[in-house]
Amino acid sequence: MLLSVATALTTMALKAGAAWITGSVGLLSDALESGVNLVAAVVGVFALRTAAKPPDENHDFGHGKAEYLSAAVEGAMIFAAAAVIVWTSVRRLLEPQPLTEVGLGLFLSAGSSILNLAVGLLLLRVGRQHRSVTLVADGKHLLTDVWTSVGVLAGIGLVAVFGWYVLDPIVALLVGLNILRIGYGLVRESVVGLLDAALPADDVAQVQQVLDRYRADGSVTILPPRTRASGRQRFVYLTVRVPGDWTVRAGHDLLDRVEEDVRSALPGTTVFTHLEPVGKVARRR
């Protein structure tokens, strides 16, 4: 995340310089989005540090949901930046203005885009490897920023070649609408996570494969698992029914094996099991 902060600072400076040199609201919109990246990266640093804390007396299940708060803040910042971009674009659309030093501005913006591309791909890879909502969200945002910048560069290039000054605010307006869409997605994802969404279907399928092995002999019944995600943390809740004449030790030995196999299928998962007897229990004399 510190790399993301440094990248956001650098790209914001380059794009702001390009916007100031050229007077382009399209490049200004691109610079504002990089400002959002900077705020999101700073918030992400604190979120990751909080999420990495182990469970304590006030947080028995850890601090994983701090990452969802980070994604929500990033989404809210995107909405704010989009509002500024749309407002500025509409004003310039009503009063188009010529651009200056377009070549230098495009060069600075292109350099910042290449930097964003490299860091965005790195964040996505590391975030998916460690199942970090914050890193994945930040990586996706940086890659979106790259595509946004490509569109802005193309638009400003057309302005420079053909003198279509009205195209500059149109490009900026499209940028604002696009990041509104991204902001909605981030806020939606964070809200779903805060509401204890189930694990992804692929993860649940791996759990079911483990459970089916124990169900195969017919003596053990395992109800469908209940799951939830909390940031990078995964939780699985199981109810296991065994014959009523089993000993307590036999039942708990089975639960230990089930929990170990589920954790092997999904490393780092916290598994909770509940044992229930079924059938008639033989009277002991």
Side-chain angles (χ1 to χ4, degrees), residues 190-271:
S190 64
V191 169
V192 169
L194 289 171
L195 293 177
D196 283 341
L199 294 180
D202 291 343
D203 289 353
V204 176
Q206 292 188 60
V207 174
Q208 291 285 18
Q209 289 179 1
V210 172
L211 302 183
D212 286 343
R213 296 201 301 266
Y214 288 92
R215 294 168 176 147
D217 65 1
S219 62
V220 173
T221 300
I222 304 179
L223 300 185
R226 294 180 298 124
T227 66
R228 67 182 181 93
S230 180
R232 73 189 68 181
Q233 297 172 302
R234 294 181 286 204
F235 297 91
V236 174
Y237 300 81
L238 301 172
T239 297
V240 181
R241 294 175 177 172
V242 301
D245 56 358
W246 277 30
T247 64
V248 173
R249 180 182 295 276
H252 280 277
D253 285 346
L254 172 67
L255 296 188
D256 288 342
R257 294 196 300 272
V258 171
E259 292 176 9
E260 182 179 352
D261 287 348
V262 171
R263 285 192 293 267
S264 296
L266 294 178
T269 299
T270 300
V271 185

Side-chain angles (χ1 to χ4, degrees), residues 7-24 27-28 30-31 34 100-117 145-146 149-150 152-153 156:
T7 301
L9 279 170
T10 303
T11 56
M12 185 176 66
L14 290 172
K15 291 179 180 180
W20 180 74
I21 291 171
T22 62
S24 166
L27 292 176
L28 176 62
D30 212 11
S34 292
T100 59
E101 298 292 340
V102 176
L104 179 57
L106 292 179
F107 175 77
L108 293 175
S109 184
S112 67
S113 298
I114 293 173
L115 180 60
N116 271 342
L117 177 62
D145 192 18
V146 171
S149 297
V150 170
V152 171
L153 290 171
I156 302 305

Side-chain angles (χ1 to χ4, degrees), residues 33-231:
E33 187 173 7
S34 292
V36 173
N37 289 343
L38 175 60
V39 174
V42 172
V43 173
V45 169
F46 290 102
L48 287 175
R49 289 180 178 176
T50 301
K53 292 180 180 178
D56 54 37
E57 59 182 8
N58 293 321
H59 303 86
D60 292 332
F61 296 95
H63 302 75
K65 288 189 176 181
E67 295 196 51
Y68 292 121
L69 295 177
S70 171
V73 169
E74 184 170 355
M77 289 298 301
I78 286 177
F79 281 123
V84 174
I85 291 170
V86 171
W87 171 255
T88 306
S89 302
V90 171
R91 291 183 60 187
R92 182 64 65 86
L93 189 62
L94 297 175
E95 299 178 4
Q97 296 180 15
L99 305 183
T100 59
E101 298 292 340
V102 176
L104 179 57
L106 292 179
F107 175 77
L108 293 175
S109 184
S112 67
S113 298
I114 293 173
L115 180 60
N116 271 342
L117 177 62
V119 177
L121 291 174
L122 176 63
L123 289 177
L124 271 183
R125 180 173 61 83
V126 176
R128 287 168 177 166
Q129 179 181 352
H130 295 281
R131 300 186 67 253
S132 170
V133 175
T134 299
L135 290 178
V136 170
D138 206 30
K140 287 181 177 179
H141 191 185
L142 285 179
L143 292 183
T144 301
D145 192 18
V146 171
W147 288 112
T148 299
S149 297
V150 170
V152 171
L153 290 171
I156 302 305
L158 291 174
V159 172
V161 174
F162 298 104
W164 297 339
Y165 299 122
V166 72
L167 190 58
D168 179 39
I170 290 176
V171 167
L173 190 59
L174 292 175
V175 170
L177 294 176
N178 181 60
I179 67 173
L180 272 176
R181 179 183 62 84
I182 300 301
Y184 168 77
L186 287 175
V187 171
R188 181 180 180 277
E189 181 180 355
S190 64
V191 169
V192 169
L194 289 171
L195 293 177
D196 283 341
L199 294 180
D202 291 343
D203 289 353
V204 176
Q206 292 188 60
V207 174
Q208 291 285 18
Q209 289 179 1
V210 172
L211 302 183
D212 286 343
R213 296 201 301 266
Y214 288 92
R215 294 168 176 147
D217 65 1
S219 62
V220 173
T221 300
I222 304 179
L223 300 185
R226 294 180 298 124
T227 66
R228 67 182 181 93
S230 180

